[in-house]
Amino acid sequence: MPDLREELTDAPYTPPADPLEKQVAEIIASVLDIDKVGREDSFYDLGGGSMQAIRICARAEQETGLTVDPLTLLENDRLVDFVAELRGANSTAATGN
C-alpha cells in the first residue's frame, strides 16, 4: 500500500492543474510509492533521490514522448517547476532555438 503524502509533508495539497501535470504527478507518485503528488510538492520532501529521479524521467519520457533529463528534476524539485521546465525544454527543442 502506498504511503500517504500527508505523512511526508506538511504542505497543503494543491492538485495538478492540467493533463501533463497530472500525468507527471502520477508517475512520481508511482515511483515514490505514495498516494498522490501536488503541484507545490517537493520531490525531495516526498523521499526522492537521484535513483528515483532517473526512474521518473525514464518513465515520463516513455509515457509523454517528451525529452526528460534527470538533472531537470533534481534542479526543479516542485512538480509545477519540473513540468514548466519540461514544456520549455521540449518547446525549444521542437523549434530548434
Side-chain angles (χ1 to χ4, degrees), residues 37-55:
V37 174
R39 297 189 85 215
E40 302 298 326
D41 290 344
S42 167
F43 166 73
Y44 298 113
D45 290 346
L46 301 175
S50 58
M51 293 305 293
Q52 289 92 349
I54 292 167
R55 290 180 56 214

Side-chain angles (χ1 to χ4, degrees), residues 1-59:
M1 174 171 261
D3 290 328
L4 298 177
R5 175 200 167 275
E6 285 74 19
E7 293 175 356
L8 303 170
T9 182
D10 292 329
Y13 177 73
T14 305
D18 61 46
L20 182 58
E21 280 188 12
K22 184 174 192 271
Q23 187 175 19
V24 173
E26 289 171 353
I27 292 166
I28 294 171
S30 174
V31 170
L32 298 181
D33 196 29
I34 58 176
D35 64 333
K36 61 186 173 186
V37 174
R39 297 189 85 215
E40 302 298 326
D41 290 344
S42 167
F43 166 73
Y44 298 113
D45 290 346
L46 301 175
S50 58
M51 293 305 293
Q52 289 92 349
I54 292 167
R55 290 180 56 214
I56 288 166
C57 291
R59 280 194 50 195

Side-chain angles (χ1 to χ4, degrees), residues 59-93:
R59 280 194 50 195
E61 190 164 331
Q62 181 181 31
E63 293 181 25
T64 68
L66 298 174
T67 301
V68 184
D69 181 349
L71 187 58
T72 302
L73 176 55
L74 295 173
E75 292 177 347
N76 300 276
D77 59 295
R78 292 183 321 143
L79 175 67
V80 65
D81 298 330
F82 178 53
V83 172
E85 286 294 318
L86 291 181
R87 284 189 175 108
N90 284 279
S91 171
T92 302

